[in-house]
Amino acid sequence: MPRTSAAGPLTALTVLTDEPQSTSDLYDKVGYTALMRAGMIPYRRFRTALAELEAEGLAEGSTGEDGDTLWRRTPSGQEQQLRLQR
């Protein structure tokens, strides 16, 4: 579990995959209701949650050709997703 075990990073982790996706695509994928529950309606909070996952080795961020930040889960992130599903 992420060190923070906060709702924000855990919610963000649920939508990460092996394929890089933009921050805005992930934000949309989480959906308004889950964002509201996790206190991440402000886009900046969602980005902060992704950065926390990256700091903990559960996600990787990179810059796409268009300048967008792309995120994907790491093998550790995938293991954590499986633990959360149990």
Side-chain angles (χ1 to χ4, degrees):
M1 187 166 285
R3 281 177 285 154
T4 62
S5 68
L10 292 176
T11 300
L13 181 62
T14 64
V15 295
L16 290 173
T17 66
D18 294 335
E19 295 298 318
Q21 299 175 72
S22 70
T23 307
S24 59
D25 287 344
L26 291 168
Y27 186 86
D28 291 342
K29 198 172 180 181
V30 170
Y32 184 82
T33 303
L35 289 165
M36 185 174 61
R37 275 189 233 139
M40 293 192 302
I41 295 296
Y43 194 71
R44 182 181 298 230
R45 287 190 189 159
F46 185 72
R47 286 188 53 79
T48 298
L50 290 167
E52 288 178 27
L53 292 173
E54 183 176 37
E56 294 180 28
L58 300 174
E60 282 182 2
S62 62
T63 304
E65 291 180 12
D66 58 1
D68 284 349
T69 304
L70 303 176
W71 300 93
R72 69 173 197 83
R73 68 182 174 202
T74 62
S76 296
Q78 184 176 13
E79 289 174 22
Q80 184 60 42
Q81 282 177 329
L82 293 173
R83 282 190 212 112
L84 291 171
Q85 292 172 0
R86 292 182 200 167

